[in-house]
Amino acid sequence: MVRGRSDGEETKRRITDKAKQLFIRKGFGAVSMNEVCEAAEVSKGSLYHHFMSKDELFLQVLEEDSEQWSQEWERLRVEAGGVEDQFYALAEHYANDFQNPLLTAQEEYSRSRLITDEVLERLLRIADSNSQACRSVLREGIEKGELANGDLDRLVILVSSMMEGLGKLIYMPDFGKDQDKIRPYYRDAVKLLLEGIRAKRN
């Protein structure tokens, strides 16, 4: 017999879902635990039973969001097929996520808090989950001989930094949050990566 979620699991899920909506709308600093209690319709005792602090709650929200991103990428990667198509699918996946308001909240959190070693480790794991998407494509391309052999760790840093760096286009006046304007730049970045920028010589 398959068991459903316990009341405790359901309560925790409701808390994280409502907290995510608040963090998206208001950022990290402007959200209070009282607001989370009201939105999730739980007592303070219940909230603090599941999450000892707002930091803990926020990190849980970030980790779940990152896990969803990774799961969606795995689905897209399988559908894409070949290595080149996987690169373009990955670019599309990054482009679709570039205006994720939780990223802005995460930047605010990182700037405004004294980051402990434990918190830093969790934030790094979140960042690493995205770079693993690049790693999987690069490794497959190298193993199949479709990409030049090289230092995989170094290539992961370069490619993931390129993808993440394009997210800064959101701060440029000509782009803002217009996804249709942003998306071609991700595809052009992949084309540049695969073909190079040096002029072809006869």
Side-chain angles (χ1 to χ4, degrees), residues 82-112:
V83 172
E84 182 172 335
D85 287 338
Q86 286 183 45
F87 266 117
Y88 283 110
L90 182 58
E92 186 85 2
H93 195 38
Y94 268 95
N96 290 339
D97 195 57
F98 89 98
Q99 58 181 342
N100 182 346
L102 277 178
L103 298 179
T104 303
Q106 182 177 342
E107 289 180 6
E108 176 202 345
Y109 175 79
S110 299
R111 290 194 307 267
S112 64

Side-chain angles (χ1 to χ4, degrees), residues 28-116:
F28 174 78
V31 175
S32 71
M33 292 296 261
N34 284 338
E35 285 180 283
V36 176
C37 285
E38 292 176 7
E41 299 181 333
V42 298
S43 66
K44 274 192 174 181
S46 179
L47 175 59
Y48 282 102
H49 169 73
H50 292 288
F51 301 100
M52 296 177 62
S53 66
K54 187 170 75 166
D55 293 65
E56 177 65 28
L57 175 56
F58 184 64
L59 289 169
Q60 178 72 25
V61 168
L62 290 180
E63 286 166 348
E64 290 183 2
D65 187 70
S66 178
E67 178 64 23
Q68 290 171 3
W69 189 93
S70 297
Q71 289 175 356
E72 176 65 11
W73 161 241
E74 281 304 310
R75 183 187 68 79
L76 293 170
R77 186 173 73 86
V78 171
E79 291 178 355
V83 172
E84 182 172 335
D85 287 338
Q86 286 183 45
F87 266 117
Y88 283 110
L90 182 58
E92 186 85 2
H93 195 38
Y94 268 95
N96 290 339
D97 195 57
F98 89 98
Q99 58 181 342
N100 182 346
L102 277 178
L103 298 179
T104 303
Q106 182 177 342
E107 289 180 6
E108 176 202 345
Y109 175 79
S110 299
R111 290 194 307 267
S112 64
R113 313 295 285 180
L114 179 61
I115 303 298
T116 65

Side-chain angles (χ1 to χ4, degrees), residues 109-135:
Y109 175 79
S110 299
R111 290 194 307 267
S112 64
R113 313 295 285 180
L114 179 61
I115 303 298
T116 65
D117 290 342
E118 180 183 355
V119 170
L120 178 60
E121 184 177 345
R122 291 178 71 174
L123 290 173
L124 290 174
R125 281 202 301 268
I126 291 169
D128 186 60
S129 67
N130 285 5
S131 67
Q132 289 304 315
C134 295
R135 182 180 296 276

